Amino acid sequence: MRVVVGAPGAGPLAQRASKEPVRTGAQGIDPGHLMEQLVPMARALSAEAGVGRLEAAVVG
């Protein structure tokens, strides 16, 4: 999973990739595992980029 934090007019400000893929099973992506990885990454990137509030998310 890759996560990028950016701002309108400024483009990407910080980005990271997870060290392991999000688990999947017969019913698709494991939402708990996705959030376990996404939330800490998004918080860290927001702090690194100096973004106080996230308004949208795009996860690849």
Side-chain angles (χ1 to χ4, degrees):
M1 174 174 58
R2 296 179 309 270
V3 179
V4 177
V5 170
L13 301 173
Q15 58 188 332
R16 287 202 184 130
S18 61
K19 294 180 181 179
E20 66 176 295
V22 176
R23 289 189 295 260
T24 59
Q27 296 183 355
I29 291 175
D30 178 333
H33 191 237
L34 171 72
M35 296 307 288
E36 285 172 15
Q37 291 191 46
L38 177 60
V39 171
M41 261 199 281
R43 286 183 176 152
L45 288 171
S46 295
E48 180 181 320
V51 175
R53 178 176 172 223
L54 294 176
E55 295 184 20
V58 178
V59 180

